Amino acid sequence: MENLSEIFDLECFFHLSPDWLCVAGFDGYFKKINPAVSKTLGYTESELFSKPIDSFVFVDDRSLTASKRESIKKNNPLYNFENRYVTKSGEIVWLSWISMPVQSQQLVFAIARNITDKKKLEEFSRASFIFNNKIEERIAPAQNGELTNGVKFNVFTDGRSLKPISELSIADQLWLYELETLVRKYIGKVDLSIVLLSSEMGLSERQLHRRIKNTTGVTPNNYIRRIRLHMSMEAINSGKYRTVSEISYIAGFETPAYFRKLFKEFYGRDVAEFLQ
């Protein structure tokens, strides 16, 4: 039989794998990593070897990650453990780990898959009600796009409705997640403009306008308005705000009267009903 190394170059596999392939010591430092680790995190190998692994883990995940590491050192393999790392530029990366200890060498062999896009889609589905054909918990259940009292919801009086989410590709959903995250970041700017958004998204104003329109079926201003209105309902459901003015300010509307008008068009009921 031919030598395995002649059939398959394991070192080549190690360098070409898109997944993280890591060897870590029981001391908490990387001992060997493949290029995917540096490529994802933006650090050089020397930088990654010079600091404890924990220093690259998202701060909120360090305690749980440390407890899992101690379990591995007690000869307990780790399967499908998810945690977050932080890149050199400050971005969050989600990883799913499989780790096997080798106690005789005080080493851990690990494989990690980047699941950031999967987590973004989950977050988009969980946090954004923009494409859902349902209303939030504090509004009566709907039938065929209507509230139980027969009032339409999620369609403004201009008749513009969104494309069904089933028609959106994964790439489009991820792009809209990034857009919604950006809108929420600048929600306090009453004059939030397509100029600011296009600059942040790395597109021209015309390109951004066209992509939002083609992806959602509505204009950028209409889509941003929907995000603001959903944020207003989130603020109401939080129980922290008790007046129309407070909710209007949180959602970034110029005046309470204008906000109240749009809220009723969108949800079919006056915002004051939810503040009683």
Side-chain angles (χ1 to χ4, degrees), residues 214-241:
N214 290 342
T215 303
T216 68
V218 298
T219 64
N221 286 338
N222 187 291
Y223 190 66
I224 292 169
R225 192 183 306 146
R226 291 167 189 268
I227 295 175
R228 290 185 187 276
L229 287 165
H230 282 297
M231 289 185 69
S232 74
M233 183 59 77
E234 291 170 2
I236 291 170
N237 286 335
S238 74
K240 296 179 182 179
Y241 311 99

Side-chain angles (χ1 to χ4, degrees), residues 34-89:
N34 71 334
V37 181
S38 294
K39 182 178 180 181
T40 303
L41 294 181
Y43 292 99
T44 64
E45 280 197 357
S46 60
E47 288 176 316
L48 291 166
F49 289 144
S50 66
K51 297 180 181 179
I53 297 171
D54 192 57
S55 65
F56 303 106
V57 176
F58 183 59
V59 63
D60 290 351
D61 293 349
R62 289 180 183 175
S63 178
L64 179 58
T65 300
S67 68
K68 295 294 183 182
R69 186 180 302 121
E70 290 303 311
S71 179
I72 292 173
K73 289 161 67 174
K74 295 176 182 176
N75 209 32
N76 297 312
L78 184 65
Y79 298 100
N80 302 319
F81 170 63
E82 297 179 359
N83 68 355
R84 290 166 288 183
Y85 275 57
V86 183
T87 70
K88 194 170 187 176
S89 62

Side-chain angles (χ1 to χ4, degrees), residues 138 231-232 234-250 274-275:
R138 293 182 65 176
M231 289 185 69
S232 74
E234 291 170 2
I236 291 170
N237 286 335
S238 74
K240 296 179 182 179
Y241 311 99
R242 304 307 307 163
T243 69
V244 174
S245 294
E246 287 178 319
I247 302 297
S248 173
Y249 176 79
I250 290 299
F274 301 98
L275 295 174

